[in-house]
Structures are given as C-alpha cells and as structure tokens.
C-alpha cells in the first residue's frame, strides 16, 4: 500500500529501542528486504525460478514495507561502528543528515514504485527495470554509510 | 496488499537457501515483524506513543508482508535445533506438517485482516482488537514449535 513519503522518514513510531536492539532490528529489516530482492532477481532477472506474479507482488510488498517502516528510528545516536563491534554502520552517518535523508527517501521512492509495478501487473521486464532502480538505492546508501 | 492465502504457503519462490541462511532469514523476518507489532502495542494498546494512523498502516503492512512472504521456504529439512545450535525451531515441526500449515495460515489470515483494518481507517480500538488476534497467532506457533 503506498504511503506518503513523510511516513518513510517520520519520527520514531515507538519508544526508542536500546542500542543493541536498534542494530539487531535494522540488520533484520535489511536481511528480510534482501531475501525478497533475491526472489525478484531469481524470477525476473536470472530466470532461475519460474516467474510467478503473485510471489513477485508479495516480494515487492515486503521490500516496500521495509522502506516505509520508519527505519530512521533504528539509526539512533551511538549505534555506529566506532562504538559497537557488531555493526557496519559508519559514524559518518551522523555527520551527514541530509545525505542520510536523501538515500532513505530514494529507497522509499524506488521500493514504493516497485510495489506499484508489481501490483499493476507490469510484467517481468517492467519489474526487472524497477528492481534495478531499487538495487541502486540500496547501493547508494551502502557506498556512503556501510563499512566493507 | 491482500494476497490469496495460497501465496502464504506456496512453494519456494527462489532457489532454496542453505541451512544457515534459512535460519538467519526467518529470525530476521520475525524480528522485523515483532518490531512492528511493538509499534502497534505502543500506540494502540499502551498509549505510550501518540496514535498515528499512517504509522499504524505502515506497521500493519510490514507484519502482513512477513506473514505473506512464503516463510515456509525458510523452514527446510535440517533447520531445527536438533541439528543446529543457533535456532529455536523444534524438530517436532517436521513431524506435524498439518499443524505447521494451520498456524502459518492462521498468521497470514490474522495479519492480512490487521492490514485491512489499518487501511480502512478502522480506528484505535478496532486495530487493538485485531492486534490481539495476530498476537494469538504468533503464540499458537511458538507454543507448538519454538523452544523456550
Ligand atoms: C538508508 C541506508 C540503507 C539503505 C537504503 C539500504 N541499506 Fe542495507 N544496510 C545499510 C547499513 C548502514 C547496513 C549495516 C547495518 C548494521 O550492521 O547495523 C546495512 C546492512 C545490510 C545487510 C546486512 C544485514 C545484516 O544481517 O547484517 C544487507 C543484506 C543489506 N543491507 C541489504 C540491503 C538491500 C537489499 C537494500 C535495498 C533493498 C538495502 N540494504 C538498503 C544501509 C542501507
Ligand atoms: C509459523 C510459526 C510462527 C509464527 C506464525 C510466528 N513465529 Fe515467531 N518464531 C517461530 C519460530 C520457529 C522461531 C524460532 C526461529 C529460529 O530460531 O530459527 C520464532 C522466533 C521469533 C522471534 C525471535 C527471532 C530471533 O531473532 O531469533 C521473535 C521476536 C518472534 N518469533 C516473534 C513473532 C511474532 C511477533 C509473530 C507474529 C507477528 C511471530 N513470531 C509469528 C515461529 C513462528
């Protein structure tokens, strides 16, 4: 379901989690998104699994739901890898709030459009094209804010 | 977006992940779902965070997208805690396929309805009531198939 973009970058929707839980939860959100990206890659790009429109819609819904879940509340102060061993978030994240906002909005926009393409039965090649846009939005953030 | 229930229990939508990745991915999916359940609890049950309809819809979308993501493909043979240290899945899961199917369908139905209530602006008390149904569907599975 499409949401206004404001929801993607809105203030925390719950009491702030502690640092460990923020890290674990954001890693979980990205792992869940990546699993669903993998399904689209297999069916719409590689063709290694038979194309199934309903499964593609479910995968796109999942990716969009991560992008629009208010991930920002999982990137609180003190959660970067200068202060924690179990995260790849670079501390530069906190020095560049405008860049962080930009990549988060880019992800939300690309993923919401992926969901629309899948919901409207856009077909394999339209889905593949938008999958590639979503992939770029993941990479834009990783290049800037994620350690190797 | 509502999906036919068949999608919730459909055959794997991608080449099967290895055992470690199945375990990590299903734990991530549940962690992501639980985070979103926490938002609804805070806003619609506890009242510890101000009620925000759009955030509640985003949370319900996230929970439904997990429930309808084909989690079954992350519960492959050899992924229970008789063969792995890093999981709480009980081996009895593989002896009771009908019960497993029943709890998975229960989760998908309850979460899809939660999404409908949130999308139709059902309001706080309707959302709270359906949140409780979803919570029961989590517990039904945990009681049967998850170790302490
Ligand atoms: C807003 C920035 C941002 C966006 C957008 C983003 N990522 Fe990431 N991703 C990160 C950061 C930061 C980490 C490291 C998190 C940590 O270790 O705490 C990460 C970690 C991950 C991980 C490893 C998770 C784990 O278990 O440790 C995967 C997989 C991943 N991202 C995939 C993706 C995919 C796929 C997308 C797009 C569909 C995506 N990411 C979009 C910033 C982003
Ligand atoms: C189909 C069965 C099933 C349903 C439905 C289910 N769970 Fe679980 N859950 C499990 C199992 C099995 C595990 C253990 C997974 C593992 O360790 O491999 C688990 C683990 C978890 C975990 C720990 C994840 C981690 O990081 O190790 C949380 C939190 C959780 N579930 C919450 C929920 C919530 C909240 C819901 C409903 C919104 C839910 N579960 C629905 C079976 C289920």
């Amino acid at each position: 379901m499409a949401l206004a973009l404001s929801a993607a970058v809105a203030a925390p929707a719950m009491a702030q989690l502690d640092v460990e839980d923020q890290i674990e939860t954001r890693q979980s959100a990205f792992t869940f998104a990546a699993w669903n990206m993998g399904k689209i890659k297999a069916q719409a790009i590689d063709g290694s699994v038979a194309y199934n429109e309903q499964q593609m819609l479910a995968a796109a819904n999942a990716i969009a739901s991560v992008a629009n879940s208010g991930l920002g509340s999982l990137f609180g102060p003190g959660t970067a890898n200068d202060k924690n061993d179990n995260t790849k978030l670079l501390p530069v994240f906190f020095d560049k709030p405008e860049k962080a906002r930009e990549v988060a909005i880019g992800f939300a926009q690309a993923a919401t459009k992926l969901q629309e393409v899948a919901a409207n039965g856009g077909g394999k090649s339209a889905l593949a094209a938008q999958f590639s846009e979503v992939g770029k939005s993941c990479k834009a953030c990783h290049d800037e804010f994620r350690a190797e």
Side-chain angles (χ1 to χ4, degrees), chain A residues 29-122:
Chain A
F30 289 130
T31 298
F32 180 63
W35 175 50
N36 284 285
M37 288 289 281
K39 295 175 200 169
I40 298 180
K41 182 169 185 292
Q43 294 193 16
I45 311 275
D46 301 343
S48 57
V49 176
Y51 191 76
N52 178 312
E53 208 170 274
Q54 212 178 33
Q55 291 176 349
M56 293 297 92
L57 175 56
N61 285 344
I63 296 158
S65 85
V66 170
N68 291 301
S69 68
L71 291 178
S73 66
L74 303 174
F75 287 80
T79 66
N81 72 357
D82 54 343
K83 300 202 175 129
N84 305 275
D85 289 333
N86 56 345
T87 177
K88 292 191 168 177
L89 181 66
L90 293 171
V92 68
F93 179 85
F94 299 104
D95 303 329
K96 295 187 171 182
E98 297 205 350
K99 183 71 191 174
R101 198 183 150 82
E102 180 193 313
V103 294
I105 290 178
F107 177 37
Q109 284 179 324
T112 301
K113 180 145 181 230
L114 183 75
Q115 183 178 38
E116 282 162 11
V117 170
N120 299 332

Side-chain angles (χ1 to χ4, degrees), chain A residues 4-19:
Chain A
L5 265 181
S6 58
V9 291
M14 62 184 299
Q16 191 71 8
L17 299 180
D18 69 26
V19 166

Side-chain angles (χ1 to χ4, degrees), chain A residues 121-146:
Chain A
K124 196 168 177 171
S125 63
L127 195 71
Q130 189 55 28
F131 167 88
S132 154
E133 293 306 311
V134 175
K136 282 180 206 161
S137 79
C138 313
K139 187 170 182 309
C141 186
H142 294 165
D143 287 351
E144 196 82 36
F145 296 127
R146 192 176 71 164

